[in-house]
Each structure stands twice: as C-alpha cells, then as structure tokens.
Amino acid sequence: MHTLKITAIIYVILAAAFSTAYGQEAYDINSTEVKEIAGYLSMEGHSEHDLATCSTKQRYYEEIAEMLNDGYTKEEILQDYEAMYGEQGFREPNKSGFSILAWTIPILMLGAGSTAFILRIKNQVNNQRREKAPLPAERNAGENTEDEVIRAIIEEEKRKHF
Amino acid sequence: MHIIGNVSIYLAFFLSIYAFAAYVLGIKKQDQRLIDSGKGATMGIFILASISMILMLVLLGTSQLQFEYVYRYTSTDLPVMYKLAALWAGNAGSLLLWTFFLAMYSAMVAFSRKMIRNPMTPYIISIMMLNVIFFYFILSFVTQPFALMDGVPPEGRGLNPMLQDPGMIFHPVTLYLGYVGLAVPFAFAIASLIVKSMDAFWIQMTRRWTIIAWAFLTLGNVIGGYWAYTELGWGGYWAWDPVENASFMPWLTVTAYLHSVMIQERKNMLKVWNLSLIILSYALTLFGTFLVRSGVLTSVHAFGETNLGAYFLVFMAFMVILSMYVLMSRYHLIKKDTGQFESFLSKESSFLVNNLILLGATFAVFWGTVFPLVSEAVRGTKVTVGVPFFNTVMSPILLALLFIMAVCPLIAWQRSSMKNIRDNFLIPAVISLAVAAVLVIMGIRNAYPVIAFAIISFMVLTHLVEFIRGTRARRKVTKEAVPVALFRLMIRSRRRYGGYIVHLGIALIAFGIVGSNFDVERMETLSIGESMEIDRYTLTYENLGQRTEGVNDIVFANIAVEENGRELGYIQPERIFYLNWEEPSTEVAVRSTLREDLYVVLSGWEEDQRATFQVKVNPLVKWIWIGSYVLVIGSIFAIWGGRYGQVTPRYAGPERKVH
C-alpha cells in the first residue's frame, strides 16, 4: 500500500513537471491555437493593430500562450476574458440578448427585401399574362446576344449608307 | 496673403448665396438675365475657389508657419510633395479641396455645351449651389483654412509619418472626386423631378459623370487598401473600419444604380428605385463625411473629434428630407407609363436581384458600423463590431453577388427559357464544378474558399462565353477575322463590354481576397546569422544597419531570402525615426509575386543586435491590385468617346423660358 502511495505521488509530480515542461515548448505566440483564440478578442481595441509593433497585442498573445501552457482549454480562456471584460472584450457582438440584433437585423432586412421583390415581380408577371399572350421564350427575338449583335451591325450599315 | 485667403472664402460664400437666389428668382420670374447672372456667379465661385486652393498650396509649399493650418500639418524639413499633400491632411484643407471640386463641377455643368438652352440647367446648378453654400459656410465660420497664429513659430508640428506615403497623394483626392462627383447625378435627378421631366434624360446625361465618380470611388478605395496594406497599424488592406465602411457603402449603392439605370433606359422600369438609389448614394457620401469628421466612432483613419460632424448630419438630414419631399410630390407622375416585369427569369429581374443583394450588403455594412452606437444608446455598452462579424455576415452576401454577376450577362432580356439557360450555362457550370473538385482533392476542406473559387471560375467562364458568342455572331455576318471581329464588337458596344471588363476585374479582386485568407505568419527573435523558416522560405538575418535620410534616422535589417533553397536576394525592413515626430514609423519590406507576398516587418532589436521580425506569407494579394487596374481600364473603356454610342441624349421634358 505504502509503495503504491509513493508511486502515485512520484507519478503525479513527474506528470505535472512533464506537462509544464512539455507545455512551455508546445505553445508560443506563433502557435495556431494562440492565434485562433486571439482572433476572438478585441484586446482593448488593439486587435487590428500589428503584432510586430503593438505591445498590448503582444502581451495578449503571450498571456494566451501561457494559459494554454498552464492547461487551460480554449473555452476556459475565452470565459476568463469574458469574466474580465464582458462582451466588450470580444471582436464581435454576442449571439444572445440585445446583441443578437446585430446578427439578425441584416438577415431580416434581406429577407423582407427578397419577399417584396418576389411579390412585386409575381404581381407584374401575372398582370402581363392577363393583358397579353406571351411569346415562347425561344422566339423572344431581339433580346439575346446574337440578335443584339446583328441588330447593331444593321444599324451600323444603315448609318453608313443613309 | 491672409487677407486674400479669407476674402476669397467669404466672397465665394456670399456669391454662392447670390447665385442660388438668382437661379431661384430667375426660375420663378422666368427671367433669363437673372439666370445668366447666376451662371456668372457660378464661374466667379470657381475662380475664387481656385485662388483659395492655389494660395493654400503656396503657403504650404513655402512653409508660412504663421498660418495655423501650415503650422499644424507641416514642418520645414518635410519634402515638398508632402508639404503640398498636407492640403488634405486636416479638416480645413480637405474641405477646401472638396469645395474646389464642387465649384469646378458646378461650373462645368453650368457651361456644358450639352446643356446649352436646356431648361433643367438652372435647377441643377441651384441644387449644386446648396452644397456649395454649405461647404463655404463651414469654411467661413467653423473651420477656417487661413486662420493665423498669434506669432510665427520657429517650426511646424510636422505631418504624421503614417501620412508620408505616396498613398497620401492619391487616395484622398480620388475619393473626394468620387464623393463630389455623385453630387452631379443627384442634382440632375432632383432637377428632373422638379421640372417634371420623367424620362431617362437625366440618367443618360449623367451616365459618364456617374461612371467617372464610381471609378474614382473604386480607385480611392483600392489605393487606400494598398496604402493600409503597406502601412503598419492600419489592419491590412481591408479591416472593416468605420471609415473604410463609410466609403464602401456609396460604392455599393452606386454599383446598384449603374445596373438598374440600364433597365430604366431600356424598359422604362424602376424609375422611383433609381431616383431613390441616387439620393441614397449622395446621402451616404455625407454620412461618410459625418463619420470621418465627428469622432463618434473609433477609427484609425478619422480626422479626430470635432464638432464638424453635427453640421454634416444636419445638412444630410435637410437634403434627404428635401429630396424625399420632391420625390413623393412627383410620385404619381413617375408611376405613369412605367414598364412591367414579364418573367421571373429575365435580365431585368436578375438585375433587380443584383440590386437587392447590393442594398442588402450596404445595409449590413451600415448596421455593423452603427451597431456600437445603437448598443451604447440602448444598453450603455459600446460593443466591438469587428472583422469577424463583417466576414461572417458579408461573405455569403458577396458570394451571392458574384454568382448573380456570373448569371446576369447570359440571361436574355424580357424573358429567358430553360433552354437558353442550359445552352449558356452548362459548360461553365461543369468546368466550375471540376475546379471545386480539384481544390478538394488538393486538400482545401473549408467550404467557403471552395465555393468562392468555383463561383469565380463560373463568373469568368460565363463572361468569356459572352465574348465568344458576340464575336461568333459578328463573324457570321461580316466574315471578319476573329481579333478584328472581337475588337469591333467591343468598340461598338463600349458600355456593355466595358462593364464585362469591370466584372472580370472584380473576379480577379475576389480571387485575391479569397486567396489572401490562406496567409501564414510567424514572429521570431534572431541573432545575426540565424535563420527562420516560413512556408517555402528561409530568411537569414545578416546584419542591422543605420543611415540618415534628410533629418530622419533609419534603422534597417538586411535579410537574405531563399525559396526552396534557391537564393532570391535580400530584403530590407526599416524603422524610421523623425526629428519632428515622437513615434517612429515602420516600413514593411514586401517581395511580391503573382503567387504570394513575402511581408517582413522589423519589430524591434536589442543592444546585442538580436532583432525580432514578423514575417507573413500572403497568397494571391497581387491579384487584388491587378484586378483593380482591370476594373479601372473597363470603366475608362465604357466611357471613352468615339463614334459609337456616345450620342448626346435629346431633352424631351417640359420647356421653360429660361435655360
């Protein structure tokens, strides 16, 4: 039992040491995971600055790399920043509460526009159909590229001669 | 100098009021002498605006530091080119430039040969005069370009180093030419409503004006994008910054307008729609100016916080209400004799879908731009609406737009059939699907780039099909050789084929934008002789040096570049330290090829000469700039004079005694 306890303790210590050492090597500011997480954050308005010259942005990258090396997951890191800065800590509005309007209003407007467009054309097409019998589309002369080109040539010749 | 400058501004202000009053009274009393007097005043305003401009350029060029504007934006050591470009570095100077363009355009319309004896002319100029009055009011009483300092300072504050770039010379000027150019079709539109001329005359007359304004807006945005790409701290070629969005919105609405006017000209449809679009486009130019000059939103491109925005907001509201009132009062006349859609599947309806998408995109950009203000007003929390939001919302909209651009040219006017669609689209669709399959096989697994590249291929192919069909049809009749037939086909239908060239330019830009999303980036600290690897490149840091240029000190690093073991030479990122500016600026070293850009930044260095570099490989970015050239070439081709299709339209509206 005693041997088992000692083995377990040694295992825990080694695992912790190994994970720290391994983690330090695993994540730095060039890691894809760091860039991905940083991509969510507004970094106090420095998110669009260049990493090369912005010390605030560099600090955030280093902080994220450090947290990843400490074993935090992406979700935990983002939650941590949300706890610190709230919605303002991110580069895009939340997809809940009042901020959902930022996402939904453009879609609603486009939807309303599309509906109005369909109704308008439907209405006008029906009116046209009632008023006159349509020509078969294949015989819709003068409206295709070939017809337009030939018509333009005829016009050109007319202009030359008259 | 101070007196001449101020007199030229105040005199032009009073002359613009006089011109407006002369036109209005002349129209009311039908007195040609008053109209002619107004035209004389319009020319007088242009001369005064030219005097103010020349004077300001002389003051800037000769470093007359007793003038506040010269002191604030220049220094004696600044190169002459940037001393002159400082004209548009601050509020007063840039508004002076804006006013000059407005006065120039007003005089051009007033004395245009095409508008001789046209009863619309006095109406058009009086609407333009409203704009001139507003701008001269601002220059006279809000931000005065010729204000003097209390004494003569020994040295000026200098121009922000970020503005000391060739982009500074071209970007603001092209953008202003685009913004101001939109005032002309707007004035024609309102004038045609007032005189109750309900045909397409105003559209035909302003076609060139609008395309030129659109081309300048495009050029302004692209030059701005290139400048931001090479200038650190501006977030790359496009960062969805409020000020960038402000110039993108009118571009979108004018693009919609340029398409929908074709339907009015050809089918007499969408009259209210076209009027609304030009009013909206004009209003958005004022809204953009409000955003840039009010400081209500945070932007790296803004002029800083001033009270100017409020004036622009009030003026914008006044002009929009006036336009809407005129539009509504003529609504019953516009609706008369309006053409009708005959089919869901026709060029007309596809143009309307294109308009719908463009307006949807405009609204999405507008909403994203103002949402921080809405959120702050409602909840007290100013949220950030940044790149991820715009990319998520705009990507599907812009993909849909590219798809419509691909489909539109091959759909017949009035009514199309399934056979027409099958014949025209089958081969491009099959090839585009093959492109998508190849991309997936090559390992691209993200849906967006695969779909985007497929749609871009589809768009390019449908346009090529259109060129082939036209050439073939011409050859059938004329038996000309292929190049001759293609050339003659294009020059005889400049507007159509110029438009297609513009579309191909957009396809190239889209190709570059989608490709640039596959960028890779590394930041490393290297000792002399050490190397770093990124993608296929190996960069070896050879040494750090210093040189002096004028009064500025430049620190640079020499980096040897190899691609797959092949030596490519050296690149030299720099940092510049200015005598008259606290912050140094960073000059990026870019090695650009059609495949990708190698983008190197000198981030910092230590005493032992270790230096930190940020290195990026940005694929296909050069195609964005190539596409922009193609786009401008297409615009010029569409408006270029010639024997064909450049006939002055005939005015058929109500006649008046005055013109």
Side-chain angles (χ1 to χ4, degrees):
Chain A
M1 193 62 191
H2 186 69
T3 320
L4 196 69
K5 264 185 185 173
I6 291 171
T7 314
I9 290 165
I10 291 169
Y11 175 78
V12 168
I13 292 167
L14 279 176
F18 179 76
S19 74
T20 311
Y22 176 78
Q24 274 165 359
E25 276 174 14
Y27 298 108
D28 61 18
I29 59 170
N30 290 315
S31 306
T32 319
E33 294 82 353
V34 174
K35 288 176 190 168
E36 192 200 337
I37 296 168
Y40 289 98
L41 305 175
S42 74
M43 305 182 203
E44 298 158 56
H46 293 253
S47 58
E48 308 312 325
H49 291 188
D50 270 279
L51 185 62
T53 47
C54 178
S55 54
T56 309
K57 195 166 180 175
Q58 286 169 14
R59 182 168 51 79
Y60 268 87
Y61 270 63
E62 281 157 9
E63 211 170 81
I64 295 164
E66 205 177 300
M67 287 165 96
L68 282 168
N69 288 330
D70 287 346
Y72 283 84
T73 63
K74 175 183 153 187
E75 286 69 30
E76 285 169 341
I77 294 171
L78 291 176
Q79 277 166 13
D80 207 45
Y81 279 111
E82 189 167 14
M84 266 192 281
Y85 299 107
E87 195 180 354
Q88 285 164 293
F90 294 88
R91 287 169 87 197
E92 58 179 34
N94 283 344
K95 288 176 180 132
S96 60
F98 178 79
S99 293
I100 202 165
L101 291 177
W103 299 93
T104 50
I105 294 282
I107 299 164
L108 288 175
M109 289 299 284
L110 207 55
S114 307
T115 312
F117 162 75
I118 291 167
L119 289 177
R120 181 181 172 169
I121 295 200
K122 196 177 167 188
N123 203 10
Q124 292 194 0
V125 169
N126 288 342
N127 284 346
Q128 287 288 312
R129 278 187 190 150
R130 270 197 296 274
E131 283 169 19
K132 56 179 182 186
L135 279 173
E138 290 77 6
R139 289 174 53 209
N140 195 7
E143 301 297 338
N144 289 319
T145 305
E146 286 83 355
D147 303 314
E148 280 182 44
V149 170
I150 291 165
R151 215 170 42 196
I153 294 170
I154 295 168
E155 281 295 315
E156 197 183 314
E157 289 301 313
K158 264 193 209 168
R159 232 184 275 171
K160 264 189 212 164
H161 293 293
F162 304 107
Chain B
M1 293 274 234
H2 156 72
I3 294 169
I4 298 171
N6 282 328
V7 166
S8 68
I9 298 282
Y10 290 125
L11 202 58
F13 174 57
F14 290 114
L15 214 50
S16 58
I17 294 172
Y18 168 76
F20 179 73
Y23 284 125
V24 172
L25 279 174
I27 291 166
K28 202 173 174 198
K29 293 183 174 175
Q30 292 291 290
D31 186 342
Q32 187 60 39
R33 284 177 311 165
L34 279 169
I35 301 291
D36 289 341
S37 176
K39 282 187 183 174
T42 307
M43 183 51 84
I45 294 164
F46 171 56
I47 293 167
L48 287 168
S50 307
I51 291 172
S52 313
M53 273 280 291
I54 293 166
L55 190 63
M56 183 51 104
L57 288 171
V58 169
L59 297 178
L60 288 164
T62 56
S63 297
Q64 302 293 321
L65 295 171
Q66 68 272 32
F67 286 86
E68 194 187 335
Y69 190 83
V70 181
Y71 162 75
R72 286 183 66 173
Y73 298 103
T74 65
S75 51
T76 50
D77 56 277
L78 200 65
V80 177
M81 198 169 61
Y82 293 121
K83 278 185 185 175
L84 300 178
L87 174 68
W88 42 89
N91 266 317
S94 61
L95 289 176
L96 181 62
L97 178 73
W98 190 306
T99 313
F100 169 74
F101 287 147
L102 202 53
M104 181 175 76
Y105 285 173
S106 303
M108 281 167 78
V109 175
F111 294 92
S112 158
R113 274 189 297 146
K114 288 181 182 174
M115 294 304 286
I116 288 173
R117 308 195 73 78
N118 190 311
M120 270 172 66
T121 311
Y123 296 87
I124 297 165
I125 312 298
S126 48
I127 290 153
M128 293 191 76
M129 276 304 123
L130 278 178
N131 288 275
V132 176
I133 292 170
F134 168 72
F135 277 93
Y136 267 117
F137 169 77
I138 297 286
L139 290 176
S140 302
F141 306 109
V142 185
T143 171
Q144 293 159 321
F146 297 103
L148 283 173
M149 304 281 293
D150 290 334
V152 184
E155 186 52 283
R157 280 162 60 174
L159 187 67
N160 185 336
M162 282 179 135
L163 303 181
Q164 294 178 37
D165 183 281
M168 176 63 180
I169 298 163
F170 302 108
H171 165 66
V173 179
T174 46
L175 215 51
Y176 287 179
L177 281 167
Y179 276 176
V180 184
L182 288 180
V184 179
F186 168 78
F188 268 81
I190 301 300
S192 81
L193 282 173
I194 296 172
V195 297
K196 298 179 183 169
S197 168
M198 297 303 153
D199 57 9
F201 173 79
W202 72 272
I203 286 173
Q204 291 159 346
M205 277 303 294
T206 56
R207 195 170 70 80
R208 276 186 175 183
W209 280 104
T210 318
I211 295 176
I212 291 170
W214 180 86
F216 275 124
L217 263 183
T218 311
L219 213 53
N221 279 318
V222 170
I223 295 171
Y226 184 75
W227 185 10
Y229 179 65
T230 52
E231 189 71 61
L232 274 198
W234 282 353
Y237 61 82
W238 196 262
W240 296 109
D241 178 275
V243 171
E244 292 171 356
N245 294 348
S247 59
F248 188 44
M249 285 188 279
W251 185 88
L252 287 169
T253 53
V254 178
T255 308
Y257 168 81
L258 284 172
H259 286 87
S260 62
V261 288
M262 281 188 255
I263 307 179
Q264 182 172 344
E265 283 182 66
R266 206 171 165 122
K267 299 282 170 188
N268 205 26
M269 293 172 173
L270 306 178
K271 290 179 186 174
V272 178
W273 180 262
N274 287 328
L275 286 160
S276 309
L277 274 181
I278 202 67
I279 293 170
L280 179 64
S281 303
Y282 167 77
L284 283 172
T285 63
L286 294 175
F287 177 73
T289 318
F290 156 72
L291 277 188
V292 178
R293 291 161 200 273
S294 63
V296 291
L297 287 164
T298 314
S299 164
V300 289
H301 306 293
F303 278 89
E305 207 163 325
T306 65
N307 61 346
L308 265 175
Y311 292 95
F312 274 91
L313 204 58
V314 171
F315 181 64
M316 182 181 78
F318 170 73
M319 291 306 273
V320 169
I321 290 167
L322 177 76
S323 321
M324 293 317 289
Y325 168 74
V326 178
L327 180 64
M328 286 300 122
S329 66
R330 303 290 189 266
Y331 187 76
H332 60 290
L333 290 171
I334 306 168
K335 292 304 282 181
K336 256 202 259 177
D337 306 324
T338 297
Q340 304 276 302
F341 285 96
E342 291 185 26
S343 164
F344 272 102
L345 210 59
S346 63
K347 200 172 279 246
E348 298 90 301
S349 52
S350 68
F351 272 25
L352 200 58
V353 174
N354 140 308
N355 268 235
L356 189 71
I357 295 171
L358 282 164
L359 280 204
T362 310
F363 181 78
V365 176
F366 171 80
W367 183 241
T369 308
V370 300
F371 191 76
L373 296 177
V374 175
S375 173
E376 192 178 21
V378 176
R379 296 191 304 163
T381 311
K382 196 170 187 169
V383 294
T384 307
V385 181
V387 177
F389 170 86
F390 286 103
N391 283 349
T392 309
V393 174
M394 294 299 286
S395 298
I397 297 178
L398 295 179
L399 278 182
L401 189 65
L402 287 176
F403 181 74
I404 285 293
M405 279 167 74
V407 171
C408 257
L410 295 186
I411 293 186
W413 285 98
Q414 207 161 329
R415 191 179 309 111
S416 211
S417 66
M418 284 316 288
K419 183 180 177 304
N420 166 276
I421 290 181
R422 203 175 45 238
D423 290 351
N424 292 336
F425 295 114
L426 189 63
I427 295 171
V430 168
I431 297 175
S432 310
L433 287 175
V435 168
V438 168
L439 290 174
V440 173
I441 292 165
M442 280 168 66
I444 299 176
R445 291 289 182 270
N446 291 341
Y448 263 129
V450 173
I451 295 169
F453 282 129
I455 292 178
I456 293 165
S457 320
F458 185 54
M459 186 180 152
V460 172
L461 288 166
T462 55
H463 280 73
L464 290 181
V465 166
E466 184 66 358
F467 277 95
I468 292 167
R469 280 175 65 196
T471 312
R472 200 180 283 164
R474 190 174 168 88
R475 287 192 70 219
K476 212 186 261 183
V477 181
T478 61
K479 313 290 181 212
E480 292 163 338
V482 174
V484 177
L486 175 65
F487 176 71
R488 290 195 173 150
L489 173 81
M490 287 172 69
I491 60 159
R492 276 159 180 76
S493 194
R494 286 178 171 276
R495 181 185 190 179
R496 180 189 191 131
Y497 290 98
Y500 291 159
I501 296 171
V502 169
H503 282 188
L504 290 173
I506 300 265
L508 294 179
I509 293 174
F511 179 65
I513 291 172
V514 178
S516 68
N517 284 309
F518 291 92
D519 61 326
V520 283
E521 181 183 356
R522 284 194 73 77
M523 192 159 152
E524 277 189 30
T525 302
L526 304 174
S527 298
I528 287 179
E530 269 187 342
S531 299
M532 68 180 279
E533 292 196 357
I534 182 165
D535 207 21
R536 302 182 320 282
Y537 296 96
T538 306
L539 286 86
T540 309
Y541 168 42
E542 301 222 326
N543 66 306
L544 198 66
Q546 188 174 351
R547 67 172 192 273
T548 305
E549 263 181 27
V551 291
N552 303 330
D553 287 328
I554 298 171
V555 176
F556 60 91
N558 275 320
I559 299 173
V561 183
E562 286 177 25
E563 184 186 6
N564 289 332
R566 189 168 57 92
E567 283 181 14
L568 296 178
Y570 286 85
I571 52 172
Q572 210 175 65
E574 302 174 344
R575 278 206 135 182
I576 306 173
F577 295 85
Y578 298 87
L579 181 69
N580 292 313
W581 204 267
E582 214 170 287
E583 289 290 308
S585 75
T586 308
E587 287 296 309
V588 179
V590 183
R591 187 185 176 277
S592 188
T593 63
L594 289 178
R595 184 173 174 173
E596 65 209 357
D597 283 7
L598 178 67
Y599 187 100
V600 184
V601 183
L602 174 60
S603 173
W605 57 88
E606 308 293 332
E607 275 182 17
D608 60 359
Q609 298 230 323
R610 276 185 310 130
T612 304
F613 300 99
Q614 184 196 24
V615 183
K616 294 182 198 179
V617 177
N618 299 327
L620 306 180
V621 171
K622 203 168 191 173
W623 290 97
I624 300 174
W625 322 123
I626 293 173
S628 309
Y629 297 137
V630 174
L631 196 144
V632 173
I633 290 168
S635 309
I636 294 169
F637 185 83
I639 56 164
W640 199 258
R643 285 160 62 197
Y644 306 98
Q646 302 291 357
V647 182
T648 307
R650 198 172 61 82
Y651 174 75
E655 287 299 334
R656 298 275 195 281
K657 281 184 191 165
V658 290
H659 45 80

